[in-house]
Amino acid sequence: MKNFKLILILMFMSTSLFVRGHAKSDIEVISVSMYEVLVSPDKFHGKNIEITGVYKFDLDLATLYPSKEYFIEDVFESSLSIHLPVWITSENLEGLTELDGEYVRVTGEFDAKNRGYGGFNKGQIFNVKQIIRHSK
């Protein structure tokens, strides 16, 4: 009888963990190449994406470029605007400014219709979940 109770408890715990694990994955995040998004922005409109590029922070504007060359030349037409999240604090902001010119991985929702400040970008990443340094 003790073994039966133990088995029931283990089954319940396994089911509970399984359900909790799947609840987190309700939002699908697509890992995508920067070039794919630049070529076909409408294909990713409204989707949660994870994307890598060179980060630029200038005058409260955050931009993501596909390479160091595009970053140096400041080619807006081949970039994505990043709408900085509301969870940014002065400490976070300082950390983000230190990422200027570095490769970063950004996770958030993509909007192909919002072309960023001045309308030059290929779209905007908003509802940003993370911006982290990425080793290329």
Side-chain angles (χ1 to χ4, degrees):
M1 187 69 171
K2 285 184 180 180
N3 287 340
F4 181 70
K5 286 182 181 177
L6 182 60
I7 290 172
L8 282 176
I9 291 170
L10 288 173
M11 283 177 48
F12 175 75
M13 288 174 58
S14 298
T15 304
S16 175
L17 291 173
F18 177 77
V19 170
R20 249 188 282 158
H22 282 279
K24 288 181 181 176
S25 66
D26 286 346
I27 298 174
E28 180 184 2
V29 177
I30 303 165
S31 185
V32 63
S33 152
M34 179 87 173
Y35 293 105
E36 284 182 273
V37 175
L38 292 174
V39 170
S40 304
D42 291 331
K43 180 178 174 183
F44 301 99
H45 180 73
K47 297 191 177 168
N48 287 292
I49 62 171
E50 181 179 74
I51 191 165
T52 301
V54 179
Y55 178 77
K56 180 171 186 163
F57 185 80
D58 189 28
L59 302 173
D60 296 335
L61 299 174
T63 309
L64 197 65
Y65 293 91
S67 68
K68 292 270 189 179
E69 292 79 16
Y70 283 83
F71 166 80
I72 291 167
E73 296 295 324
D74 212 8
V75 183
F76 280 119
E77 298 81 16
S78 295
S79 70
L80 302 176
S81 173
I82 301 172
H83 183 266
L84 293 177
V86 294
W87 49 260
I88 294 293
T89 63
S90 56
E91 292 83 22
N92 298 88
L93 192 58
E94 186 176 320
L96 288 176
T97 59
E98 292 173 4
L99 293 173
D100 188 55
E102 301 290 328
Y103 278 95
V104 297
R105 180 168 294 275
V106 180
T107 305
E109 191 173 340
F110 183 68
D111 182 356
K113 308 298 184 226
N114 188 332
R115 306 292 296 254
Y117 182 77
F120 297 113
N121 306 101
K122 286 288 187 177
Q124 182 180 71
I125 302 170
F126 68 103
N127 287 337
V128 174
K129 306 294 184 271
Q130 73 174 2
I131 300 173
I132 57 172
R133 186 181 311 272
H134 180 74
S135 59
K136 185 99 171 148

